[in-house]
Amino acid sequence: MSQKLYSILLILILFSCGKDLPKLEGMDLDKWKNDKNACLGDRKEMEAALQTEKTKLKGLSEMDIIKLLGKPDGNELSERNQKFYMYYINASPACSLADSSARKLILRFNAMGYAQLTSIE
């Protein structure tokens, strides 16, 4: 009987340790996710909010970033197992109305899979 109780307590403790995803003020994350490659122009409207909120993305895991922002528009594997995710803010070259100065959010992940750097270029 006591072994079942300990097992249940252990499971409860493990599930309660997860941390909530940050709230990105001024951003409609559903619109963000639905604007793949920024072809619809919805992401461009959120650029100012993203500029102020991007520091909240540091330290999040790859899976947390995908839950929050959706699947990246592009990714790249670099040396030392570093990974980069790219999310276009302006229409990417893949869009019919491509922007020649397409800006994007770039996230660099360390070898452990956590966001180490966030920048908008």
Side-chain angles (χ1 to χ4, degrees):
M1 177 70 172
S2 63
Q3 187 176 6
K4 277 187 174 181
L5 181 61
Y6 288 128
S7 297
I8 291 172
L9 284 175
L10 179 63
I11 290 171
L12 288 174
I13 290 170
L14 289 175
F15 281 110
S16 66
C17 292
K19 88 179 181 187
D20 293 334
L21 294 176
K23 175 116 174 82
L24 302 178
E25 301 296 325
M27 293 186 66
D28 183 339
L29 295 176
D30 289 329
K31 274 185 163 182
W32 176 275
K33 290 176 191 175
N34 291 326
D35 192 5
K36 185 75 176 152
N37 288 312
C39 292
L40 302 175
D42 292 332
R43 289 183 181 178
K44 186 175 173 117
E45 297 171 5
M46 297 179 234
E47 184 175 5
L50 180 62
Q51 188 70 35
T52 59
E53 298 291 306
K54 71 180 181 177
T55 57
K56 292 181 179 179
L57 301 174
K58 282 186 180 177
L60 295 179
S61 70
E62 290 180 58
M63 293 309 299
D64 286 342
I65 294 291
I66 291 173
K67 285 179 194 172
L68 198 62
L69 300 176
K71 187 178 172 188
D73 298 326
N75 60 37
E76 183 179 314
L77 186 60
S78 185
E79 58 192 42
R80 297 185 183 164
N81 290 333
Q82 292 186 61
K83 189 181 283 187
F84 292 84
Y85 279 2
M86 291 158 279
Y87 294 89
Y88 282 96
I89 298 170
N90 297 25
S92 77
C95 301
S96 60
L97 299 172
D99 190 339
S100 61
S101 63
R103 293 174 53 79
K104 55 191 163 205
L105 169 67
I106 299 174
L107 299 155
R108 183 176 76 195
F109 294 91
N110 61 21
M112 300 295 289
Y114 292 97
Q116 181 177 333
L117 174 97
T118 61
S119 66
I120 296 177
E121 299 175 5

